[in-house]
C-alpha cells in the first residue's frame, strides 16, 4: 500500500490498524466501517499500517510478526520501526496528521504502537480527534469495570465498545452523547457491506483468499469465552449480500478461497442450510472454511450441503473431552454428543480440526486425563487437533468461580497433552499449540 503525502481532499476520516496484528489477510472490521460510512457520504480512507510496515520489513522481522502473542515485538514495534523504517514512518505520520478524525482498531497486540502514534499525531495536529474501537476496547472496558485506564481514556476523544458502525457515524456527525459508546448495535445487518478500495488483497501474503462474514455475535454463552462479550445480540447478514461479496471478490480480485470470520457459522442451522444451497445454485462450489459449534442434532442434510457448497475445513471448539468440565464450561453438549457430531462430519466428508483447553478452573487430574483419553480414543474420527491451550482468564468472563488450576500445573498439562496426542500420531497445527501463551521472542 503506497502512502502518499497529501490527504484526499474529500476524505477527512482515517481508519488505522496498527502493528502488530495477524498480517496474512486484509482486515474485515475496518472494511465494514468504511462501507457503512461511505454509503452515508462520509469519505473514509483505511490505513492498514500493519500491512504497510510488514511488507516493508525483512524476513527475520516478518517471521517474528507472524508469531501469535509475541509480546516482545508488540512492546518494541514502535521503536523498531522508528529505527529501521524511519522514512516510511515519517511519511505515514505526515499523511495521517492531515485528517481531522483518526480511528484506531484496537487489539491487545497493537495497543503499544497506537499509544505512541496518537502522541505524535496530537503533537503535529492539535485539532485532531482520536476515536478508539475494536475488541481491545471491550476487553479494557471489562478489565477496568467501565472506567478504562487513564492512558486509554485521555488518549481518545471517543471510545467505542462493541459494534462500531452506528456510534462512529454518530460521532462524525456530532450526534454522540458522552465519551464512551457502549454496545450500540444495529438492529440487523442489512446495512453493513465491507469495502476494500484502499486495501485490496494484492498486497497481502494470502492474496488468493478473502474474509467473509455471515453473522455477528453468538447464540451460545460458554463461560470461558470472550467472543460472546463483543456483541450483545446474534444477527445475520442477508444471504444475498454474502453471495454478492463472493461474486465481487471472484470478479475483482480473482479470489479462490474464502474464510468466514464468524464466531460460529452454524448459529442458526436453517440459515446456514439456505446459504449453502444458494452458493451451490449460484456458483456450484466455492472453497470456504469457518468456525463451527458442536451441535449434535444438526443433521446430516445441512452438513452435506456444506460440503457440496465447498466447505473444506471447520474449526470446531470441543474444548474438553470430560463431561464434568464441559458442564462447567456451559458448552451445552456431552462428549457422547460431540462424538456423534464428529461422526456426522465424517459421514458428510467434511474435514475439521478441534481446539482444547487444559487446566480449566475446577479441572481435576482425573478430568484432565479423561479429556485426553477421549481425544486419543477418537483419533480415527478427529482429522486434526487445531489448537491446545492452557486456560487463560479474560476479563468479563465468569469461569473462575470454580477452583483455579495453577499456571504451572496448566502448563504441565498442556505439555503432557501435546506429547500424548503426538505420540498417538494425531495431526496437529504446530503454530496453534499454546498460541495464547505470551511469547518473548527477541528479534
Ligand atoms: C477471524 C479471527 C481470527 C483469524 C484472522 C485474524 C483477523 N484478521 O482478524 C485468525 C485465526 C488468524 C485469528 C488469530 C488470532 N486471534 Co482472532 N479472531 C478472529 C475473529 C473470530 C473475527 C475477527 C473479525 O474480523 N471480526 C469481524 C469484524 C467486523 O469485527 P471487528 O474487527 O471486531 O470490528 C468491529 C468492531 O470491533 C468495531 N471496530 C473495530 N475497529 C474499530 C475502529 C474504530 C475507530 C471503531 C469506532 C470501531 C471499530 O467495529 C467493527 C464493525 O462493527 C475475532 C472474534 C470476533 N468474533 O470478532 C477473533 C479475535 C480478534 N482474535 C483474537 C485473538 C486473541 C487471536 C489470537 C492472538 C489468538 C487466537 N485466538 O488464536 C490469534 C492472533 C494470531 C497472530 N499471529 O497474531 C481476539 C482479540 C482480543 C483482543 N482484545 O485483542 C478476538 C477478539 C477473539 C477473542 N478472544 O475475543 N483470529
Ligand atoms: S460457541 Fe464459541 S463463540 Fe459462542 S460462546 Fe461458545 S465458545 Fe464463544
Amino acid at each position: 500500500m503506497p502512502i502518499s503525502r497529501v490527504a484526499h481532499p474529500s476524505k477527512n476520516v482515517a481508519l488505522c490498524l496498527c502493528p502488530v496484528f495477524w498480517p496474512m489477510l486484509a482486515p474485515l472490521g475496518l472494511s465494514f466501517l468504511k462501507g457503512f460510512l461511505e454509503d452515508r457520504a462520509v469519505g473514509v480512507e483505511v490505513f492498514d499500517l500493519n500491512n504497510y510496515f510488514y511488507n516493508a520489513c525483512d524476513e527475520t522481522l516478518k517471521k517474528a510478526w507472524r508469531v501469535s502473542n509475541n509480546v516482545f515485538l508488540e512492546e518494541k514495534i514502535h521503536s523498531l520501526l522508528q529505527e529501521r523504517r524511519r522514512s516510511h514512518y515519517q511519511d505515514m505520520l505526515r499523511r495521517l496528521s492531515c485528517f481531522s478524525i483518526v480511528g484506531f482498531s484496537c487489539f491487545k497486540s497493537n495497543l503499544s504502537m497506537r499509544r505512541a502514534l496518537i502522541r505524535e499525531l496530537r503533537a503535529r495536529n492539535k485539532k485532531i480527534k482520536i476515536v478508539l474501537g475494536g475488541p481491545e476496547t471491550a476487553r479494557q472496558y471489562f478489565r477496568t469495570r467501565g472506567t478504562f485506564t487513564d492512558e486509554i481514556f485521555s488518549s481518545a476523544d471517543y471510545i467505542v465498545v462493541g459494534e462500531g458502525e452506528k456510534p462512529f457515524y454518530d460521532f462524525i456527525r456530532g450526534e454522540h452523547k458522552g465519551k464512551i459508546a457502549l454496545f450500540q448495535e444495529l438492529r440487523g445487518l442489512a446495512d453493513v457491506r465491507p469495502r476494500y478500495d484502499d486495501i485490496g488483497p494484492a498486497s497481502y501474503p494470502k492474496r488468493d483468499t478473502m474474509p467473509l462474514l455471515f453473522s455477528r455475535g453468538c447464540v451460545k454463552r460458554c463461560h470461558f469465552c470472550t467472543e460472546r462479550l463483543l456483541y450483545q445480540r446474534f444477527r445475520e447478514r442477508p444471504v444475498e449480500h454474502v453471495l454478492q461479496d463472493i461474486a465481487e471478490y471472484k470478479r475483482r480480485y480473482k479470489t479462490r478461497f474464502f474464510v468466514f470470520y464468524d464466531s460460529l457459522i452454524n448459529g442458526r442451522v436453517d440459515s446456514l442450510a439456505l446459504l449453502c444451497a444458494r452458493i451451490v445454485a449460484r456458483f456450484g462450489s466455492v472453497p470456504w472454511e469457518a468456525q463451527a459449534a458442536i451441535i449434535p442434532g444438526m443433521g446430516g442434510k445441512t452438513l452435506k450441503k456444506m460440503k457440496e457448497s465447498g466447505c473444506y475445513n471447520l474449526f470446531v471448539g470441543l474444548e474438553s473431552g470430560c463431561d464434568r468440565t464441559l458442564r462447567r464450561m456451559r458448552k451445552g453438549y456431552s462428549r457422547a454428543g460431540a462424538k456423534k457430531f464428529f461422526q456426522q462430519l465424517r459421514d458428510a466428508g467434511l474435514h475439521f480440526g478441534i481446539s482444547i483447553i487444559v487446566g480449566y478452573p475446577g479441572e481435576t487430574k482425573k478430568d484432565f486425563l479423561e479429556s485426553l483419553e477421549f481425544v486419543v480414543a477418537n483419533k480415527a474420527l478427529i482429522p486434526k487437533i487445531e489448537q491446545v491451550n492452557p486456560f487463560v482468564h479474560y476479563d468479563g468472563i465468569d469461569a473462575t468461580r470454580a477452583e483455579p488450576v495453577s499456571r504451572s500445573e496448566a502448563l504441565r498439562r498442556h505439555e503432557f497433552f501435546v506429547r500424548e496426542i503426538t505420540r498417538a500420531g494425531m495431526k496437529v497445527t504446530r503454530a496453534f499449540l499454546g498460541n495464547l501463551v505470551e511469547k518473548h521472542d527477541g528479534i
Side-chain angles (χ1 to χ4, degrees):
M1 175 188 68
I3 293 207
S4 60
R5 278 156 204 263
V6 237
H8 192 292
S10 65
K11 298 186 177 181
N12 67 358
V13 178
L15 277 169
C16 293
L17 176 67
C18 284
V20 181
F21 190 68
W22 190 68
M24 307 309 273
L25 295 184
L28 190 54
L30 295 188
S31 312
F32 266 112
L33 292 170
K34 179 180 168 83
F36 186 84
L37 294 172
E38 291 202 339
D39 285 349
R40 282 150 191 81
V42 178
V44 178
E45 194 157 346
V46 172
F47 292 83
D48 186 348
L49 304 180
N50 184 61
N51 171 257
Y52 175 61
F53 287 115
Y54 177 83
N55 284 343
C57 286
D58 56 34
E59 262 318 310
T60 320
L61 197 50
K62 280 183 174 164
K63 198 168 162 221
W65 208 294
R66 292 191 297 265
V67 173
S68 167
N69 258 327
N70 189 347
V71 288
F72 177 84
L73 182 63
E74 290 164 13
E75 280 303 319
K76 290 277 173 286
I77 189 71
H78 179 252
S79 50
L80 272 172
L81 293 175
Q82 290 266 38
E83 239 171 67
R84 300 187 190 179
R85 291 293 174 270
R86 190 154 188 83
S87 63
H88 284 79
Y89 189 85
Q90 291 304 326
D91 265 6
M92 178 273 300
L93 200 56
R94 244 193 311 273
R95 175 84 178 88
L96 276 178
S97 57
C98 299
F99 286 85
S100 22
I101 300 175
V102 181
F104 285 87
S105 196
C106 300
F107 293 83
K108 181 172 168 281
S109 56
N110 68 13
L111 266 198
S112 170
M113 173 83 179
R114 163 220 56 104
R115 184 174 53 229
L117 190 51
I118 292 175
R119 226 178 15 237
E120 286 162 340
L121 284 176
R122 287 209 189 274
R124 279 175 175 255
N125 176 352
K126 304 280 179 247
K127 291 190 181 152
I128 203 162
K129 298 277 182 230
I130 302 290
V131 180
L132 303 183
E136 182 62 11
T137 59
R139 192 178 79 102
Q140 293 289 336
Y141 170 78
F142 288 111
R143 177 175 215 157
T144 57
R145 294 174 200 271
T147 56
F148 293 98
T149 61
D150 286 348
E151 185 276 310
I152 290 188
F153 194 77
S154 61
S155 74
D157 294 283
Y158 195 49
I159 302 178
V160 173
V161 177
E163 192 162 277
E165 281 85 352
K166 181 187 176 303
F168 198 28
Y169 183 46
D170 288 349
F171 179 81
I172 291 164
R173 288 182 303 162
E175 289 186 5
H176 61 294
K177 290 195 190 81
K179 188 162 166 176
I180 300 170
L182 282 185
F183 300 108
Q184 294 183 10
E185 294 179 351
L186 298 164
R187 200 182 290 269
L189 298 181
D191 283 345
V192 298
R193 305 292 298 271
R195 193 163 298 154
Y196 288 95
D197 301 350
D198 308 322
I199 48 164
S203 64
Y204 291 83
K206 290 186 171 198
R207 63 191 58 193
D208 59 356
T209 307
M210 282 292 279
L212 289 173
L213 196 85
F214 184 31
S215 64
R216 289 185 185 167
C218 187
V219 291
K220 308 225 293 178
R221 286 287 172 270
C222 307
H223 257 180
F224 59 86
C225 175
T226 43
E227 290 213 20
R228 66 176 168 81
L229 303 174
L230 299 173
Y231 300 97
Q232 295 194 326
R233 285 175 307 122
F234 176 81
R235 290 143 306 148
E236 287 164 333
R237 297 180 62 211
V239 166
E240 188 52 36
H241 287 186
V242 180
L243 300 180
Q244 284 166 9
D245 289 351
I246 297 174
E248 185 189 335
Y249 304 156
K250 276 164 96 55
R251 180 181 48 78
R252 201 167 156 192
Y253 306 126
K254 311 281 172 261
T255 303
R256 294 177 51 221
F257 300 99
F258 296 88
V259 184
F260 280 98
Y261 276 11
D262 303 45
S263 289
L264 78 178
I265 197 68
N266 53 351
R268 289 201 186 115
V269 175
D270 290 355
S271 311
L272 174 60
L274 178 67
L275 174 69
C276 294
R278 298 288 298 280
I279 289 178
V280 172
R282 180 136 167 206
F283 307 103
S285 163
V286 292
W288 62 270
E289 61 174 299
Q291 305 190 124
I294 292 178
I295 304 179
M298 191 165 152
K301 217 168 134 198
T302 304
L303 295 170
K304 286 198 179 101
K305 245 324 166 220
M306 287 163 68
K307 174 74 183 172
E308 195 186 340
S309 69
C311 176
Y312 62 86
N313 193 34
L314 291 171
F315 184 104
V316 177
L318 169 67
E319 314 307 359
S320 175
C322 162
D323 279 341
R324 283 180 298 277
T325 308
L326 286 172
R327 268 197 302 276
R328 245 181 273 115
M329 290 175 165
R330 300 255 164 102
K331 286 302 293 178
Y333 51 79
S334 64
R335 60 196 216 144
K339 188 172 174 181
K340 180 176 164 200
F341 185 67
F342 296 159
Q343 187 63 61
Q344 288 173 349
L345 292 177
R346 293 297 288 220
D347 292 347
L350 286 166
H351 184 273
F352 63 98
I354 60 163
S355 64
I356 292 286
I357 296 172
V358 298
Y360 191 72
E363 185 192 69
T364 61
K365 281 203 174 127
K366 185 167 172 272
D367 296 342
F368 165 71
L369 290 172
E370 229 175 273
S371 177
L372 175 62
E373 174 267 326
F374 174 80
V375 170
V376 174
N378 287 293
K379 68 178 185 182
L381 266 188
I382 301 169
K384 198 170 189 189
I385 311 273
E386 203 77 74
Q387 200 176 28
V388 183
N389 268 295
F391 170 73
V392 180
H393 174 81
Y394 289 106
D395 303 284
I397 62 167
D398 37 18
T400 37
R401 280 186 202 140
E403 184 66 28
V405 174
S406 73
R407 187 79 188 138
S408 52
E409 175 61 17
L411 286 168
R412 260 197 304 278
R413 287 183 194 179
H414 178 257
E415 207 179 300
F416 188 75
F417 199 100
V418 171
R419 203 172 45 235
E420 289 305 304
I421 52 175
T422 313
R423 197 154 58 190
M426 296 185 79
K427 227 170 131 192
V428 292
T429 305
R430 288 273 152 214
F432 285 1
L433 298 177
N435 70 340
L436 297 179
V437 179
E438 294 190 342
K439 323 278 185 319
H440 298 265
D441 295 6
I443 298 120

